[in-house]
Amino acid sequence: MNGVETRVPPNFIRTIVAEDVKNGKNGGKVLTRFPPEPNGYLHIGHAKSICLNFGLAAEFGGLCNFRFDDTNPGKEEIEYVDSIMNDVRWLGFDWQDRLYHASDYFERLYQWALDLIKGGKAYVDSLSADQIREYRGTLTEPGKESPFRNRSVSENLDLFERMRAGEFVDGEHVLRAKIDMASPNLNLRDPVMYRIRHLPHWRTGDKWCIYPMYDYAHGQSDALEGITHSICTMEYEDHRALYDWYLDNLDVPSRPRQYEFARLNLAYTVMSKRKLLQLVQEGYVAGWDDPRMPTLAGMRRRGYPAEAIRNFCERIGVGKRESMVDYGLLEFSVREVLNLKALRMMSVLRPLKVVIENYPEGQVDQLEAINNPEDASSGVRSVPFSRVLYIERDDFMENPPKQFFRLSPGREVRLRYAYFIKCVDVVKDENGEVTELRCVYDPATRGGDSPDGRKVKATLHWVSAAHAVQAEIRLYDTLLNRPDVSDEGSGATFRDFINPRSLEVIADAKLEPALAGAPAGATYQFERLGYFCVDPDSKPEKMVFNRTVTLRDTWAKVAKANEIKRA
RNA sequence: UGGGGCGUCGCCAAGCGGUAAGGCACGGGUCUUUGGAUCCCGCACUCGGAGGUUCGAAUCCUCCCGCCCCAGCCA
């Protein structure tokens, strides 16, 4: 175990935890938690938090709890509960038997509220929501105290008990902490602890009609579980004083500390649950698991391996500054793991018919192809070759520019694992569109090498027409057409920047026969094109693939540069 | 303009008084039956700016500039 460094890059939170462990704080123990509210699907930003919390625990011999922060029944749904647990497991983390809920603590929280009331540190306020807002003051002016602020302990106790008993309608009263209406930190201007909500809760049913606010529930939940490091995002920084106030004024069993880090922003997409919900509800995408979504469900369906997402989260680091991460880094992480694991196959997305004139009609050759050059243990397969084939339309140009190495009239190229072929004629339709290529092959080059040492500059993928499997292929582009949509401004919303071409469907691609019947989720590299996976919509009689990510394409760069030069 | 944060390469990000890690991207080369992968090489005399302290400053001090968050009975 020496020398082989667990390559976790340093970050300020890790430094704090390491220091605490070294100093024997919390008995040298580390207990973190991942506390989602079940009000939407998890996205790649949550993955950053999950990796941080579970990763820290693992690194320092501690544990990470899973806790649903279910304090607001109006927004929470079972569908989200299920998807969240499923996604965390898929990402590769295990909370064993440590599944908790803020709602597990409702009774305890209620008793603590009673303690605060008895200590004169909380009161029932009967101002309306609007009035409370007015009384709160502004960023630059102090607030005013509510006329109900000095109710007696017994009156507060009576009112609060009746709030719980259901004697009041929603909004009639709230319980507030009595702190400081003039605090420069607005969170301390008598924050609401409980509100009345006559709504069934997915776990507690009709038992409660008052629900604790996040601020009142979170720290105590942490304390109850013995959390040592409570890690959240930067927008909670101003809440830390309140987090501490509750813990300091209540008889809690442990003393957790809150630390904040910057949330992830990824270029060309959005991360807020509100916006993701809009994309789903307004039909811009097919659902939370649409492969274009930055949700874990979407990325999984897209074919992104969990390992790639974990690696990505490690690469981006953890800091306090607001940042915008290149989408390219995620794609790099995806290719990196797929390159090692994905079996190679040949598929033609945009078929161009090729007839090998000197290849006997009806003859079929079985050629040996390597399944994965990165992994010798994955072996070989055979691929049928015959007189009529398909190649990629992009692999032929009648009048090729200098740097184009692929097929063109009179030029010889290699068909991967098969033969050298030379284009001898081009067949066009009445519109001048190329419909077919007539070629000849060199039987001596079987397998792809010429015994006379002849070289070709390009190797093309191909599929035998008679053996091809038809498939629908879904190609994806970025959800948004600009990297950063946060500055919406001047009346625009992120909807105005939704990429109308984020999905392209190819109805009749031609796949090599080995792909027939591949199960949903199976991932392949289609040689020279990219990584593709079988979509859950796929059926044996009508296969559907998603393009996970393209291969790095230096030719595309050259072609684009030429285009710019020409324009 | 009250309070809380943050400013190091195109994008992330180490660094914490001893003379700018790393990754992605990018450029060049090697190799190649994927214009993939691999492997080499290059890529911040400078850390938002200006002063100051010091033998020595991205790191300490002062002032200035810029960006983000907070006025839910959301989390």
Side-chain angles (χ1 to χ4, degrees), chain A residues 159-195:
Chain A
L159 251 15
F160 188 50
E161 277 160 12
R162 288 163 60 199
M163 278 170 65
R164 175 181 185 170
E167 290 188 28
F168 307 112
V169 299
D170 290 7
E172 202 171 341
H173 305 287
V174 291
L175 183 70
R176 293 230 252 169
K178 191 187 283 189
I179 305 181
D180 177 8
M181 287 307 292
S183 172
N185 181 345
L186 305 215
N187 294 116
L188 264 19
R189 317 244 266 225
D190 289 10
V192 171
M193 293 166 58
Y194 274 91
R195 70 293 214 185

Side-chain angles (χ1 to χ4, degrees), chain A residues 153-437:
Chain A
V153 169
S154 58
E155 188 184 359
N156 283 140
L157 246 19
D158 173 63
L159 251 15
F160 188 50
E161 277 160 12
R162 288 163 60 199
M163 278 170 65
R164 175 181 185 170
E167 290 188 28
F168 307 112
V169 299
D170 290 7
E172 202 171 341
H173 305 287
V174 291
L175 183 70
R176 293 230 252 169
K178 191 187 283 189
I179 305 181
D180 177 8
M181 287 307 292
S183 172
N185 181 345
L186 305 215
N187 294 116
L188 264 19
R189 317 244 266 225
D190 289 10
V192 171
M193 293 166 58
Y194 274 91
R195 70 293 214 185
I196 300 171
R197 281 268 191 291
H198 288 274
L199 236 39
H201 183 283
W202 63 282
R203 291 191 74 242
T204 60
D206 296 325
K207 185 169 182 207
W208 295 88
C209 63
I210 56 172
Y211 292 95
M213 298 287 289
Y214 163 88
D215 286 308
Y216 180 64
H218 207 89
Q220 289 85 286
S221 299
D222 286 341
L224 251 8
E225 291 173 23
I227 299 300
T228 55
H229 303 263
S230 182
I231 302 166
C232 60
T233 42
M234 292 301 285
E235 66 270 25
Y236 290 100
E237 201 159 24
D238 290 336
H239 294 241
R240 192 173 60 229
L242 181 53
Y243 180 99
D244 289 337
W245 189 90
Y246 285 128
L247 295 178
D248 289 343
N249 286 280
L250 257 11
D251 185 22
V252 291
S254 76
R255 188 50 222 255
R257 293 286 160 188
Q258 175 182 300
Y259 300 94
E260 310 86 15
F261 70 97
R263 55 183 340 138
L264 168 68
N265 293 298
L266 232 201
Y268 294 101
T269 188
V270 287
M271 218 61 92
S272 91
K273 278 191 192 166
R274 195 194 100 239
K275 288 176 181 167
L276 295 176
L277 218 209
Q278 284 175 3
L279 288 169
V280 172
Q281 288 182 338
E282 294 166 20
Y284 290 104
V285 296
W288 286 97
D289 69 341
D290 187 296
R292 291 166 290 184
M293 291 283 273
T295 52
L296 295 181
M299 291 182 170
R300 176 170 61 238
R301 185 167 177 181
R302 174 84 170 253
Y304 289 9
E307 183 186 359
I309 293 176
R310 279 185 254 120
N311 292 346
F312 169 76
C313 288
E314 192 167 289
R315 282 190 175 103
I316 59 177
V318 178
K320 289 170 94 81
R321 60 190 126 173
E322 154 125 339
S323 64
M324 177 65 68
V325 176
D326 259 0
Y327 205 87
L329 186 61
L330 214 206
E331 293 192 321
F332 168 83
S333 301
V334 169
R335 290 189 188 106
E336 175 189 47
V337 348
L338 257 18
N339 176 47
L340 263 22
K341 295 183 176 169
L343 298 184
R344 315 284 126 125
M345 292 284 164
M346 292 197 289
S347 296
V348 176
L349 263 34
R350 297 177 175 85
L352 207 212
K353 188 175 171 188
V354 170
V355 177
I356 312 295
E357 295 186 329
N358 58 338
Y359 194 88
E361 208 136 354
Q363 183 172 314
V364 176
D365 224 342
Q366 290 294 336
L367 298 160
E368 184 176 275
I370 294 167
N371 285 327
N372 184 353
E374 303 293 326
D375 176 13
S377 73
S378 61
V380 297
R381 68 184 185 284
S382 62
V383 184
F385 182 93
S386 62
R387 181 178 158 91
V388 182
L389 313 168
Y390 293 114
I391 66 164
E392 209 67 56
R393 288 204 92 88
D394 287 352
D395 283 340
F396 174 80
M397 272 186 122
E398 197 168 11
N399 301 297
K402 194 89 179 110
Q403 300 115 306
F404 186 86
F405 306 146
R406 283 112 92 147
L407 197 60
S408 56
R411 182 133 85 199
E412 187 172 56
V413 298
R414 170 168 43 233
L415 291 182
R416 179 144 233 230
Y417 300 124
Y419 300 94
F420 284 9
I421 61 166
K422 185 187 284 188
C423 177
V424 294
D425 200 8
V426 179
V427 181
K428 298 180 188 173
D429 64 14
E430 57 280 11
N431 302 318
E433 199 74 31
V434 176
T435 57
E436 179 180 322
L437 264 24

